[in-house]
């Protein structure tokens, strides 16, 4: 098969099957994304903002260590178990104290982020963690002077839309590639001439007639 014939065959395949491959790829991608939404446990995040009022940003790493300590976790869990026993028994959470310290910034502002599969519980834990932090950090960190800038926000799905979009694009690309390979293999290795104009369009052979073959019926 020469290059001209191959080119014409590819163009013919693209014209005929590109929209079918695209449609199926879209359906597979949408189904995959909906399946991920259905089976995955989404994490809701509630955030609160605080500041070291005397701009002593050197204490912020100490605050991080305190929120990761066994003592802080024990005090927080006792508070949650006492005030929100049902939720405490059914949901987990993760807590992170995030600072704005970088090589070019020494901002004394920092945030407390709590994530949970239950949005209401994430906000409750954040409020409780603020109370435990303010009430107890002075016992362990000398010179602490924390002021709450904003209390726990309503928990939201952070980065979930971008994650779904990324997975959708990956599924679409993989599906499109696989289906394209299947179509090409079908026509180059297992294909049959099914249309009467195939020879004219691809091989430049004029149609002389149609020969119909029929098996003799067994008597």
């Amino acid at each position: 098969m020469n290059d001209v014939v191959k080119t014409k065959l590819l163009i013919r395949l693209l014209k005929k099957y590109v929209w079918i491959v695209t449609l199926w790829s879209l359906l597979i991608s949408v189904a995959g994304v909906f399946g991920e939404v259905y089976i995955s446990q989404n994490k809701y995040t509630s955030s609160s903002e605080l500041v070291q009022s005397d701009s002593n940003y050197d204490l912020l790493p100490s605050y991080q260590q305190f929120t990761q300590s066994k003592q802080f976790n024990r005090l927080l869990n006792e508070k949650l178990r006492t005030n929100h026993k049902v939720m405490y028994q059914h949901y987990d959470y993760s807590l992170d104290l995030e600072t704005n310290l970088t090589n070019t910034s020494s901002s004394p502002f920092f945030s407390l982020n709590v994530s949970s599969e239950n949005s209401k519980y994430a906000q409750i834990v954040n409020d409780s963690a603020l109370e435990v932090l303010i009430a107890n950090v002075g016992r362990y960190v000398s010179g602490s002077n924390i002021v709450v800038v904003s209390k726990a926000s309503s928990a939201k799905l952070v980065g979930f839309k971008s994650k779904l979009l990324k997975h959708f694009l990956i599924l679409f690309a993989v599906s499109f590639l696989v289906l394209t390979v299947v179509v090409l293999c079908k026509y180059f290795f297992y294909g049959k001439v099914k249309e009467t104009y195939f020879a004219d369009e691809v091989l430049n052979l004029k149609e002389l007639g149609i020969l119909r073959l029929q098996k003799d019926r067994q008597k």
Side-chain angles (χ1 to χ4, degrees):
M1 186 181 291
N2 57 44
D3 294 338
V4 175
V5 172
K6 288 181 179 178
T7 302
K8 289 184 177 181
L9 181 57
L10 285 174
I11 294 174
R12 179 184 177 87
L13 290 176
L14 289 174
K15 288 181 178 179
K16 185 174 182 180
Y17 288 101
V18 67
W19 69 272
I20 298 177
V21 171
T22 302
L23 179 61
W24 274 104
S25 299
L26 286 173
L27 291 175
I28 293 173
S29 303
V30 171
V33 169
F34 272 103
E36 181 179 359
V37 172
Y38 181 76
I39 65 175
S40 63
Q41 289 187 340
N42 302 319
K43 293 290 185 179
Y44 296 86
T45 301
S46 173
S47 300
S48 55
E49 190 174 12
L50 307 95
V51 64
Q52 175 68 17
S53 61
D54 59 3
S55 298
N56 187 3
Y57 55 84
D58 292 333
L59 293 178
L60 269 59
S62 298
Y63 296 158
Q64 284 183 316
Q65 292 177 3
F66 177 63
T67 56
Q68 296 170 2
S69 66
K70 293 182 179 179
Q71 179 67 7
F72 178 84
N73 289 324
R74 183 183 65 81
L75 293 172
L76 177 57
N77 288 332
E78 285 180 356
K79 189 177 185 65
L80 293 171
R81 185 164 49 243
T82 301
N83 300 329
H84 308 281
K85 185 176 181 179
V86 176
M87 284 190 168
Y88 176 80
Q89 293 176 341
H90 285 81
Y91 301 109
D92 295 323
Y93 69 87
S94 61
L95 184 146
D96 176 57
L97 192 148
E98 181 181 2
T99 69
N100 296 320
L101 298 180
T102 63
N103 293 332
T104 59
S105 174
S106 58
S107 171
F109 287 87
F110 57 100
S111 59
L112 192 64
N113 304 316
V114 175
S115 298
S116 175
E117 61 268 27
N118 183 282
S119 59
K120 185 177 180 180
Y121 188 58
Q123 186 174 359
I124 289 174
V125 175
N126 200 313
D127 284 328
S128 301
L130 279 178
E131 295 175 5
V132 173
L133 177 64
I134 298 298
N136 296 276
V137 69
R139 301 177 186 177
Y140 305 95
V141 181
S142 178
S144 63
N145 191 5
I146 299 175
V147 176
V148 177
V149 178
S150 60
K151 293 184 177 182
S153 63
S154 299
K156 299 178 181 179
L157 291 172
V158 178
F160 187 67
K161 291 182 179 180
S162 59
K163 177 184 176 182
L164 288 183
L165 178 60
K166 180 181 178 180
H167 289 183
F168 174 85
L169 293 176
I170 292 175
L171 283 173
F172 178 82
V174 173
S175 301
F176 190 88
L177 178 62
V178 171
L179 291 175
T180 301
V181 171
V182 170
V183 170
L184 292 177
C185 288
K186 175 184 176 183
Y187 268 79
F188 278 106
F189 298 103
Y190 305 102
K192 298 179 180 179
V193 178
K194 297 181 180 180
E195 295 91 355
T196 58
Y197 297 103
F198 177 86
D200 187 12
E201 293 179 3
V202 178
L203 304 176
N204 290 326
L205 297 176
K206 299 300 181 182
E207 180 184 350
L208 299 178
I210 300 176
L211 179 63
R212 301 186 182 278
L213 300 178
Q214 184 176 3
K215 294 182 179 180
D216 295 334
R217 295 182 178 179
Q218 295 181 355
K219 296 181 180 181

